[in-house]
Amino acid sequence: MTLADHRSDLSVFSHPDMTIDPPHEQIVFCRDAASGLRAIIAIHSTTLGPALGGTRFYPYTSEADALGDVLRLSRGMTFKSAAAGLDLGGGKAVIIGDPTADKTPELLRAYGRFVDTLGGRYITAGDVGTTSDDMDVIGEGTRFVASKTQANGGSGDTAPMTALGVFSALLAAAEQAWGSSDLTGRVVGVEGVGKVGTQLVDLLIAAGATVLAAERNAAAREAFSARFPQARIVDDVRSATLDVYAPCAMGGTVTAELARETSAAVVCGAANNQLSSPEVEQILGGRGIVWAPDYIANAGGVIQAFSEQRDWTHPQMRDKVEALRDRTAHVLSTAAAKGITAGDAARLVVAERLASA
């Protein structure tokens, strides 16, 4: 299955009220023949502050796929930062290529120089296919980079804090679904056990959950099985009997079909743009399934990156990430009280932040 298989037409994500969902401010196509760099930087909004968002290094099948992904991801970063109460805008970047074959120091430095031309309107960080070590190299070309290694003055990999945020949101969703945040014996299907998914599984097992995991990459499956012998790798968690479905790979996996057929009472994961189309949330709600909006649940990484701009201590940063439990609970309780979807309740929070600016 390719990334394109999970994509739906961009128009389904548009919103008629441009004060809530403004159009993108700037799209930059980056080319460097010497290093082979092909990248796209998308700045969705700088209403609340500079656009901070990670750089995804991925072998897109076409430039059109890459563009569609970066537009969705950057828009999601606007919502994510606004909902988390951060003074940041939304941006994202994608580098087209296979990170295991195409990533070189020269390419990363060239990319850093492109980031620098934006003068701080965009601040980059790690994402799928990039690491804190990569941010160190990108940082040789620009100072507008977050999540470098601690040895180079950064806060390190954002995966642990992203996973902690998802776990915190999951506790709120469990409380909403079952009246208790106790995960003992709950079956959680984690789709994607890369950087964030693996960290999330650590937290789930410590909380007493039973974990099923699906992962396409053979090396990642092998590493996961060695690290978590008490968990079980399956071909497809979506068709398994679950209490919680946790999408932690690429977006668009929560389809209308899944929404109609899943046994899960909770959907909460680290993936961005989880719903394949807006109708999916209506189906989930109609079946009483609690969905924690992705840009609320997975905001731990951007909170960590923002902490570098504010010189927060590690305990201060961790407190902010764990507070995503309260933010998720607020969204879910607002949705229940108003008879609206969790997504609509989350968008109310975003609209209030953007309007106040």
Side-chain angles (χ1 to χ4, degrees):
M1 183 175 290
T2 68
L3 181 69
D5 293 326
H6 290 316
R7 298 289 180 246
S8 55
D9 186 82
L10 210 78
S11 63
V12 301
F13 291 98
S14 65
H15 195 287
D17 185 347
M18 291 295 102
T19 63
I20 297 175
D21 191 0
H24 283 74
E25 294 178 5
Q26 188 173 8
I27 313 294
V28 181
F29 289 81
C30 312
R31 298 286 187 275
D32 181 69
S35 66
L37 172 72
R38 292 190 300 151
I40 308 172
I41 302 170
I43 297 176
H44 179 253
S45 172
T46 56
T47 300
L48 296 174
L52 190 151
T55 295
R56 177 166 294 187
F57 205 132
Y58 191 80
Y60 295 98
T61 56
S62 69
E63 190 171 79
D65 282 346
L67 177 61
D69 206 29
V70 78
L71 291 177
R72 292 177 181 86
L73 291 167
S74 55
R75 173 185 178 272
M77 289 305 301
T78 296
F79 281 50
K80 185 180 301 188
S81 293
L86 306 178
D87 295 329
L88 290 173
K92 203 81 173 185
V94 294
I95 297 176
I96 303 171
D98 182 348
T100 64
D102 301 325
K103 187 192 298 181
T104 65
E106 292 74 22
L107 183 148
L108 294 175
R109 291 188 192 102
Y111 169 67
R113 291 192 293 271
F114 275 106
V115 172
D116 204 61
T117 65
L118 296 171
R121 280 173 52 77
Y122 171 64
I123 302 170
T124 195
D127 198 82
V128 174
T130 58
T131 66
S132 292
D133 289 329
D134 296 333
M135 295 306 110
D136 288 350
V137 180
I138 291 169
E140 294 174 20
T142 182
R143 63 187 176 90
F144 303 114
V145 58
S147 304
K148 294 194 291 185
T149 62
Q150 294 181 358
N152 281 285
S155 59
D157 188 4
T158 59
M161 286 300 107
T162 302
L164 178 61
V166 172
F167 180 74
S168 300
L170 176 52
L171 295 178
E175 182 79 36
Q176 182 75 16
W178 300 303
S180 170
S181 60
D182 185 4
L183 297 180
T184 303
R186 296 291 183 187
V187 179
V188 182
V190 180
E191 185 166 38
V193 286
K195 294 189 298 182
V196 177
T198 298
Q199 296 285 340
L200 178 60
V201 170
D202 248 335
L203 297 169
L204 291 168
I205 289 176
T210 298
V211 174
L212 305 181
E215 171 58 54
R216 295 173 60 84
N217 182 276
R221 285 198 304 272
E222 184 176 344
F224 178 84
S225 295
R227 179 171 175 176
F228 301 108
Q230 66 274 62
R232 184 159 61 95
I233 286 281
V234 297
D235 291 333
D236 181 12
V237 296
R238 282 174 278 178
S239 61
T241 301
L242 304 172
D243 294 304
V244 179
Y245 169 53
C248 295
M250 303 301 282
T253 63
V254 186
T255 62
E257 180 182 10
L258 179 139
R260 293 187 182 100
E261 297 180 359
T262 184
S263 59
V266 170
V267 175
C268 178
N272 291 301
N273 302 321
Q274 294 169 9
L275 308 186
S276 63
S277 66
E279 70 166 330
V280 172
E281 192 180 358
Q282 300 290 340
I283 300 170
L284 292 172
R287 295 190 61 209
I289 298 171
V290 177
W291 175 58
D294 42 40
Y295 57 85
I296 303 284
N298 65 16
V302 72
I303 291 173
Q304 176 178 327
F306 183 72
S307 75
E308 296 182 19
Q309 316 298 312
R310 291 295 187 269
D311 295 323
W312 290 344
T313 64
H314 188 272
Q316 286 175 316
M317 174 185 67
R318 188 180 180 90
D319 287 346
K320 295 287 188 181
V321 173
E322 289 180 330
L324 292 174
R325 178 175 180 174
D326 292 336
R327 290 186 179 274
T328 304
H330 171 70
V331 165
L332 296 177
S333 62
T334 298
K338 292 181 177 290
I340 59 177
T341 67
D344 283 339
R347 284 184 283 273
L348 286 176
V349 174
V350 173
E352 289 172 1
R353 285 279 341 266
L354 294 177
S356 69

